[in-house]
């Protein structure tokens, strides 16, 4: 592509230089009515027909054939081994692995070097998925499913961002694509499939009780072996401690940030749908410690 | 004496009264200038006065924290997530509103609601909040002694 562009650039520049440095005598000698071309009238017509019609027609026809072939190859490629559903919410990302029956949030884990099918949808307004290092933007449109193929050739965490203005906290609606070697990815899937375990530690147990008592269950769910506790309105918290960020890429996931986020989410991400609850100091500390322990 | 001068005042001619009125105006003007000059001089002297009288207008002494680096402290405040609960000037993203804002911390007399705001007490408080104020919402973030000293050094730069 760069070679073609360079060739076109060189030809255009040569023509320009030719026009600039044409001897003035050639212009003076040109008779009125014959134009000032050294080619003569018939030569000029031929130049326009060949350079302006024939060559572009050939180039465009060639490109059309190449495009059709590539599109055909894409359509014929085998179904990707992995499908991920990404659902854009105000202002976070729900990430589902339907075949594995997994749900997480704000982190899309994929195996390195493999094409992954990502199905995009939105229950509220239009969002747009954008990972600048891996792909162009694709919208998440209510009432429609858009599909893209995502592939990362190098392991790493790639930051993504909502790229369609969607309201107050649009700018703090980020996520990570975590590309891992296939074995590490399989390990992550296994770990995420595990249910949460009721803690034995007294302090953490206090946190688990606070989760059920203080209203968190109105919007969040933790899946225990004995069944889910809570409601899946906001992010699934079964393995929240394993994630790298909180509040959709807004904060690093550490105990301090977790406590501050639970304690007053409106101060950190004003207008988001997580209310600032009147928590007792003990409950706040226990809750933060418990959620951090859910890895 | 005043009684004796009164008749003279009453007997003043019109022109003299006019002069007095004019001189009264000049007097007011001079007073204004005098006030401005004296206020300017006083305010220029105020820092010197402050130095003469200990504790009056003098800047608070910088609390030295042995081994603490304010530059590292600013980074550590960010990494530990202190800013998720406290609004801290100069620390990016530190806009939390769970605990008190830390602006002007160097001038605060008491730390943890119960201890004089000294470097030793502050380091203790940062490392073990429950040990000083059982029941406080401030969590123990496992801060090392070195990190707590850096954080304290940074907090004492907040005037």
């Amino acid at each position: 592509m760069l070679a073609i562009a360079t060739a076109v650039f060189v030809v255009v520049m040569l023509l320009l230089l030719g026009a600039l440095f044409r001897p003035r005598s050639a212009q003076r000698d040109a008779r009125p009515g014959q134009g000032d071309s050294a080619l003569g009238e018939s030569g000029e017509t031929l130049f326009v027909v060949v350079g302006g019609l024939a060559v572009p027609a050939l180039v465009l026809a060639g490109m059309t054939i190449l495009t059709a072939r590539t599109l055909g190859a894409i359509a014929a490629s085998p179904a990707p081994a992995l499908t991920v559903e990404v659902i854009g919410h105000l202002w976070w990302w729900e990430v589902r692995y339907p075949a594995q029956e997994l749900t997480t949030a704000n982190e899309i884990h994929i195996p390195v070097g493999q094409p992954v099918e990502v199905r995009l949808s939105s229950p509220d307004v239009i969002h747009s998925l954008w990972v600048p290092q891996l792909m162009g933007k694709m919208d998440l449109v209510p009432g429609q499913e858009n599909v893209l193929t995502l592939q990362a050739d190098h392991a790493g965490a790639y930051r993504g961002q909502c790229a369609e203005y969607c309201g107050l906290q649009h700018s703090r609606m980020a996520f990570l694509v975590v590309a891992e070697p296939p074995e590490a990815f399989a390990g992550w899937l296994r770990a995420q499939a595990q249910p949460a375990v009721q803690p034995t530690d007294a302090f953490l147990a206090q946190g688990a009780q606070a989760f059920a008592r203080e209203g968190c269950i109105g919007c969040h769910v933790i899946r225990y072996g004995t069944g889910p506790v809570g409601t899946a309105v906001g992010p699934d918290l079964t393995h929240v401690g394993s994630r790298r960020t909180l509040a959709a890429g807004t904060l690093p996931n550490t105990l301090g940030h977790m406590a501050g986020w639970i304690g007053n989410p409106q101060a950190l991400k004003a207008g988001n749908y997580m209310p600032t609850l009147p928590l007792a100091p003990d409950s706040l500390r226990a809750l933060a410690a418990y959620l951090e322990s859910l890895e | 004496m005043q009684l004796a001068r009164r008749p003279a005042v009453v007997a003043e001619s019109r022109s003299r009264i006019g002069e007095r009125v004019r001189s009264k105006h000049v007097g007011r003007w001079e007073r204004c200038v005098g006030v401005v000059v004296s206020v300017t001089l006083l305010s220029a002297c105020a820092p010197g006065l402050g130095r003469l009288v200990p504790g009056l207008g003098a800047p608070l002494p910088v609390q030295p924290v042995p081994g603490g680096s304010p530059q590292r402290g600013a980074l550590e405040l960010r990494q530990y997530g202190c800013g998720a609960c406290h609004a801290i000037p100069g620390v990016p993203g530190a806009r939390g509103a769970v605990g008190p804002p830390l602006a002007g911390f160097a001038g605060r007399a008491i730390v943890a609601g119960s201890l004089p705001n000294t470097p030793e007490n502050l380091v203790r408080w940062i490392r073990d909040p429950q040990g000083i104020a059982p029941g406080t919402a401030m969590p123990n973030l496992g801060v090392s002694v070195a990190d707590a000293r850096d954080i304290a050094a940074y907090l004492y730069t907040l005037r």
Side-chain angles (χ1 to χ4, degrees):
Chain A
M1 198 55 76
L2 181 68
I4 296 172
T6 309
V8 170
F9 177 76
V10 167
V11 168
V12 170
M13 286 301 115
L14 283 177
L15 287 172
L16 179 66
L17 284 174
L20 281 172
F21 292 106
R22 249 178 74 213
R24 281 182 177 267
S25 58
Q27 288 174 31
R28 260 200 311 277
D29 295 346
R31 276 172 293 164
Q34 209 189 333
D36 55 359
S37 170
L39 292 171
E41 200 167 342
S42 61
E44 204 173 46
T45 313
L46 184 71
F47 181 70
V48 169
V49 168
V50 172
L53 291 174
V55 171
L58 273 173
V59 169
L60 289 178
M63 299 290 269
T64 308
I65 291 166
L66 285 175
T67 306
R69 268 199 200 161
T70 309
L71 287 175
I74 290 172
S77 64
L82 181 70
T83 297
V84 185
E85 292 174 3
V86 176
I87 302 155
H89 294 272
L90 295 168
W91 292 280
W92 62 283
W93 307 86
E94 184 177 349
V95 182
R96 290 186 185 161
Y97 294 76
Q100 293 78 10
E101 296 182 348
L102 283 182
T103 303
T104 180
N106 305 321
E107 250 178 47
I108 307 171
H109 283 245
I110 58 171
V112 166
Q114 292 176 22
V116 176
E117 181 186 64
V118 183
R119 311 188 77 88
L120 305 173
S121 61
S122 165
D124 39 54
V125 300
I126 301 176
H127 304 280
S128 186
L129 191 89
W130 187 31
V131 190
Q133 286 167 286
L134 297 181
M135 53 170 272
K137 299 167 187 174
M138 189 174 272
D139 282 5
L140 295 81
V141 183
Q144 180 187 324
E145 192 176 58
N146 287 341
V147 183
L148 68 89
T149 304
L150 189 62
Q151 181 170 337
D153 292 326
H154 303 284
Y158 303 87
R159 191 179 165 92
Q161 167 70 37
C162 180
E164 177 71 38
Y165 180 70
C166 60
L168 207 55
Q169 287 299 350
H170 159 69
S171 63
R172 293 202 182 100
M173 184 171 167
F175 60 98
L176 287 177
V177 171
V178 180
E180 297 166 308
E183 318 81 63
F185 174 71
W188 179 83
L189 279 181
R190 275 196 300 278
Q192 295 287 311
Q194 296 293 317
V197 180
Q198 286 287 356
T200 46
D201 178 88
F203 185 55
L204 298 181
Q206 198 187 331
Q209 286 156 18
F211 174 78
R213 189 184 62 233
E214 302 286 0
C216 313
I217 50 168
C219 293
H220 294 285
V221 65
I222 295 177
R223 290 174 277 118
Y224 294 100
T226 51
V229 171
T231 327
V233 175
D236 185 307
L237 300 183
T238 308
H239 295 287
V240 65
S242 74
R243 294 179 207 149
R244 302 185 184 199
T245 69
L246 295 172
T250 306
L251 308 165
N253 190 2
T254 67
L255 178 60
H257 288 102
M258 178 68 93
W261 172 242
I262 301 168
N264 193 346
Q266 294 302 316
L268 301 172
K269 197 167 168 178
N272 88 86
Y273 289 110
M274 180 155 154
T276 299
L277 295 175
L279 289 171
D282 272 351
S283 301
L284 175 59
R285 282 191 304 112
L287 194 51
Y290 172 59
L291 293 178
E292 284 296 301
S293 77
L294 294 175
E295 286 187 359
Chain B
M1 260 179 86
Q2 281 188 336
L3 277 174
R5 282 176 73 180
R6 259 203 176 150
V9 173
V10 174
E12 273 172 347
S13 69
R14 270 188 166 200
S15 63
R16 275 192 65 96
I17 289 173
E19 256 183 44
R20 269 182 63 90
V21 169
R22 265 201 300 283
S23 71
K24 226 177 179 178
H25 278 300
V26 171
R28 195 174 290 160
W29 173 241
E30 280 169 343
R31 237 190 337 264
C32 286
V33 172
V35 166
V36 168
V37 168
S38 54
V39 165
T40 312
L41 282 175
L42 271 177
S43 54
C45 292
L49 279 175
R51 244 171 255 130
L52 285 174
V53 185
L56 178 72
L60 286 155
V62 178
Q63 300 249 39
V65 184
S69 150
Q71 287 81 20
R72 281 202 305 269
L75 277 175
E76 285 152 8
L77 280 162
R78 199 176 177 183
Q79 284 160 0
Y80 282 108
C82 308
C85 287
H86 300 281
I88 314 169
V91 177
R95 56 179 181 277
V98 178
L102 301 183
F105 188 86
R108 215 149 299 161
I110 300 288
V111 65
S114 59
L115 294 171
N117 187 2
T118 63
E120 304 81 64
N121 286 337
L122 180 55
V123 166
R124 267 179 67 203
W125 168 240
I126 292 168
R127 297 194 64 224
D128 182 20
Q130 303 303 313
I132 288 175
T136 177
M138 183 152 142
N140 184 336
L141 298 181
V143 183
S144 68
V145 178
D147 288 358
R149 280 188 186 138
D150 294 337
I151 289 170
Y154 182 80
L155 293 180
Y156 286 132
T157 67
L158 301 175
R159 302 197 169 277

